[in-house]
Amino acid sequence: MNTQQPITSDEEHRVLKFRPRTLAHPPGQRGEPGQQAHNDAGRPQSGHPSRSERGREEPDDFRLRMLANLAAFAFTVALTAIGIWLAMSIADLRKTQDCVLMGRRDCAHISTPRI
């Protein structure tokens, strides 16, 4: 019986050198260490950490945060209500379908107005 050996190449077993991040100039930054890295258009690069940091002199907009939280909460409640309604209607449809498949004749709910 032949046993097949996996074909391996030298590229699969390459050891990469670990470079610690203690460099004076990180690879994505040009110029002085305190300056922001800019792309060719003069804007800060999107991957740079200073882009997500907020300046200390900017006040926190509490009202805007609360409105965003309220909108997210309303969306979550609406999505939950729609999910519950959908689950209930599917369960009712399944119950009616099971009744019909059993051969019963009084499966559909008929509402009659009271006289």
Side-chain angles (χ1 to χ4, degrees):
M1 179 152 88
N2 289 340
T3 59
Q4 295 182 348
Q5 297 288 331
I7 299 173
T8 60
S9 65
D10 292 336
E11 293 178 5
E12 291 180 14
H13 302 287
R14 186 182 309 173
V15 177
L16 300 176
K17 183 179 177 184
F18 173 72
R19 287 183 243 143
R21 294 185 179 207
T22 58
L23 299 172
H25 300 284
Q29 207 174 28
R30 296 181 209 138
E32 308 244 348
Q35 292 179 345
Q36 290 184 357
H38 295 282
N39 59 11
D40 295 334
R43 287 178 266 154
Q45 291 179 352
S46 61
H48 196 268
S50 67
R51 185 169 173 91
S52 63
E53 292 176 358
R54 180 182 290 180
R56 298 208 184 261
E57 62 276 350
E58 288 184 37
D60 189 16
D61 193 359
F62 182 75
R63 183 170 185 244
L64 183 64
R65 262 193 318 147
M66 285 296 116
L67 287 175
N69 289 343
L70 184 65
F73 180 72
F75 178 74
T76 304
V77 167
L79 200 60
T80 303
I82 290 171
I84 290 171
W85 171 79
L86 187 60
M88 302 269 291
S89 63
I90 288 173
D92 188 39
L93 183 66
R94 185 186 317 151
K95 187 171 75 169
T96 305
Q97 188 176 17
D98 287 344
C99 180
V100 169
L101 290 174
M102 283 192 296
R104 296 175 61 190
R105 294 178 185 235
D106 56 346
C107 297
H109 177 69
I110 301 173
S111 60
T112 55
R114 295 189 181 209
I115 301 176

